[in-house]
Amino acid sequence: MNIDYELFNNINNQDHFSYDWDGYDYTLLDSLTSNVFNTSRLENKIGLSATFNTTKNNLTVGVRGRNLQVNNEDEFTGHKINQNEFSTLPFLSYRYRISQNSRITSRISTSSSLPSISYLSPSRNNSNPNAVLEGNENLRSSYNINANASYSVFKRISEVAFNVSVSARYTFNDFARSLTYDSLGRSISVFENINTFNNTSLRTSFSMPVLNRILQLNPSFSYTNSNQNNIVDGVNNLTNTHHFSPGLRLSVNVDFLEFDSDIRWSEQVGKNSANANLNIRNSILNLNNKLSVYLPGKFEINVSANYYKYNNLSQDFNSEFLILNAALLKKFGKYDSWQIGIEGYDLLNQNTEISRTITANTIVDARSDIISRYFLFRMSYTFNSTFRINE
């Protein structure tokens, strides 16, 4: 049997002052877009659980009760929002030991979240007058159920390993943005509660040595299905996205050489229920190679090449590039504790970052220029607190 108790207390203050132009300077206080906001949060949580353990089975069943009190006050307007919630949060975990090398594990957990103050009563933001966010003080807390299960096996003698896992998440009273448009074309948004299946996922991997353990094969596959809900002019809009990612990693290890090659293909397929033009499909090919060669005289050469190719993105975002890095290192001193070297990064000067973000009614492709070609001289010393004996 296990009993646990948690106490959490937090106080936040935010002062936000907005000023209008008086003809000479910004000195006129704008009461509509200013606030002095204080939030105090007190959480009490107590739990009780029981664990049953045998040679093959391990079962834990428990429940936690949580009381959450949040007091929000805008001292600028005198407006107060107080929240007091009690939640019952059961949980369960089970592990079945099939053999010494394989097992099945599963877990179900629950959690609850209060709506943030920006959902309940946000301060007015005039940075974009065409997008107005209003509060909804009738929002209820969300209640999440998370479940996952996995099977794994590892054979120590042959070093063969296999793992597969599945997970899912469902939310009662999830927070979804509701959009309406007025006669001037401005969007007015407010958050509402909605029940939704957030996501499901599958991940699996396999590892096996071949050629007298010189070569290691590691194929893998992952799949995720996610849902995003919003409401547009009273109509529920669901964006459903499927993400597939097969991969294969090859590793070679001998006395004087180490080589890793990892190829991965990511395919993303999305469908929007309200706007067929937002149906999307894009892919990314990534090939990552790393090579280390150990030379006489305690010299070491490291080379890495990371290749990306983007397909079916917006115009000017379908690109491919190769990031090439290289280093020459030398170890010396007692126990090879000292190391010096010169390292070059992005030798082809192509480094960039491309990403796609999908929300309920928008698709954004972005490119970020990040630090490109540069060189480093490195000197390092490695020490160990344990005693060593020369042989």
Side-chain angles (χ1 to χ4, degrees):
M1 302 290 293
N2 182 69
I3 298 176
D4 60 83
Y5 172 76
E6 296 179 20
L7 173 64
F8 178 82
N9 187 32
N10 178 264
I11 297 175
N12 289 320
N13 300 314
Q14 175 183 272
D15 295 344
H16 185 186
F17 297 100
S18 179
Y19 296 93
D20 293 331
W21 181 256
D22 63 359
Y24 300 95
D25 201 354
Y26 288 94
T27 60
L28 298 177
L29 184 65
D30 187 349
S31 61
L32 293 178
T33 57
S34 301
N35 67 348
V36 178
F37 204 84
N38 300 321
T39 298
S40 63
R41 179 187 178 104
L42 178 64
E43 179 178 349
N44 290 274
K45 184 188 293 184
I46 186 169
L48 175 65
S49 63
T51 299
F52 307 89
N53 194 16
T54 66
T55 304
K56 288 185 172 293
N57 300 277
N58 183 282
L59 173 66
T60 299
V61 180
V63 63
R64 291 187 175 93
R66 186 190 72 165
N67 177 249
L68 185 59
Q69 301 177 43
V70 182
N71 297 320
N72 306 288
E73 180 180 4
D74 188 342
E75 294 185 357
F76 198 89
T77 62
H79 185 59
K80 297 181 180 180
I81 299 178
N82 298 323
Q83 300 164 277
N84 190 342
E85 178 195 70
F86 182 83
S87 302
T88 302
L89 307 172
F91 59 93
L92 178 148
S93 65
Y94 175 68
R95 183 179 71 245
Y96 176 64
R97 186 179 181 184
I98 302 173
S99 66
Q100 186 177 1
N101 303 319
S102 62
R103 63 189 59 191
I104 295 175
T105 60
S106 61
R107 179 176 176 83
I108 299 175
S109 62
T110 55
S111 61
S112 179
S113 301
L114 285 172
S116 68
I117 190 61
S118 62
Y119 294 174
L120 296 171
S121 181
S123 59
R124 181 177 173 183
N125 189 338
N126 62 351
S127 61
N128 185 359
N130 292 321
V132 179
L133 176 61
E134 296 182 346
N136 180 6
E137 297 187 17
N138 296 319
L139 275 178
R140 292 169 291 174
S141 299
S142 65
Y143 193 88
N144 310 299
I145 301 176
N146 299 279
N148 60 75
S150 65
Y151 166 75
S152 61
V153 58
F154 175 68
K155 298 181 179 180
R156 298 182 182 275
I157 298 178
S158 63
E159 295 185 1
V160 173
F162 174 74
N163 180 76
V164 60
S165 64
V166 293
S167 63
R169 176 186 175 95
Y170 188 88
T171 301
F172 295 95
N173 297 326
D174 201 4
F175 308 124
R177 185 187 293 268
S178 178
L179 290 168
T180 56
Y181 296 89
D182 61 15
S183 59
L184 300 177
R186 297 177 302 179
S187 67
I188 302 174
S189 60
V190 62
F191 281 87
E192 298 183 5
N193 291 119
I194 189 171
N195 298 336
T196 184
F197 217 128
N198 300 102
N199 58 69
T200 57
S201 66
L202 166 69
R203 291 178 174 84
T204 182
S205 64
F206 177 74
S207 179
M208 180 182 67
V210 295
L211 300 177
N212 294 324
R213 305 178 190 271
I214 295 177
L215 176 64
Q216 187 87 12
L217 298 177
N218 182 204
S220 62
F221 176 79
S222 65
Y223 164 76
T224 302
N225 175 243
S226 60
N227 295 313
Q228 295 184 65
N229 284 280
N230 73 344
I231 303 168
V232 180
D233 289 332
V235 178
N236 184 43
N237 177 33
L238 172 65
T239 300
N240 181 259
T241 306
H242 303 269
H243 189 273
F244 306 87
S245 184
L248 175 63
R249 180 178 180 181
L250 305 175
S251 300
V252 177
N253 290 279
V254 293
D255 293 338
F256 63 92
L257 181 145
E258 293 181 5
F259 175 72
D260 284 334
S261 181
D262 189 359
I263 182 171
R264 187 167 301 276
W265 175 268
S266 297
E267 183 83 14
Q268 188 172 233
V269 181
K271 184 177 181 180
N272 188 281
S273 63
N275 187 350
N277 294 324
L278 287 178
N279 295 344
I280 54 94
R281 183 173 191 143
N282 66 280
S283 62
I284 303 173
L285 173 64
N286 177 221
L287 178 60
N288 193 3
N289 296 299
K290 296 180 180 179
L291 174 65
S292 296
V293 181
Y294 306 100
L295 302 174
K298 299 180 181 179
F299 283 93
E300 178 181 335
I301 297 176
N302 295 324
V303 179
S304 67
N306 201 348
Y307 171 76
Y308 288 94
K309 184 175 182 180
Y310 295 84
N311 296 303
N312 298 323
L313 298 178
S314 303
Q315 188 176 3
D316 298 330
F317 286 89
N318 294 318
S319 61
E320 56 181 323
F321 51 88
L322 176 66
I323 309 301
L324 183 63
N325 306 320
L328 175 63
L329 307 173
K330 161 71 174 176
K331 293 182 178 180
F332 62 96
K334 192 176 182 179
Y335 309 122
D336 295 335
S337 300
W338 288 93
Q339 185 182 72
I340 60 173
I342 184 169
E343 304 171 353
Y345 293 87
D346 189 20
L347 299 179
L348 303 180
N349 203 33
Q350 296 185 6
N351 207 2
T352 188
E353 183 177 285
I354 297 176
S355 63
R356 164 163 283 192
T357 303
I358 302 174
T359 62
N361 58 352
T362 60
I363 299 174
V364 178
D365 292 334
R367 181 194 289 103
S368 301
D369 291 331
I370 54 182
I371 186 169
S372 53
R373 181 192 297 150
Y374 64 98
F375 297 90
L376 286 178
F377 173 76
R378 180 187 300 275
M379 176 179 289
S380 62
Y381 175 75
T382 303
F383 58 91
N384 195 319
S385 61
T386 60
F387 292 102
R388 306 191 215 192
I389 300 175
N390 285 324
E391 297 181 354

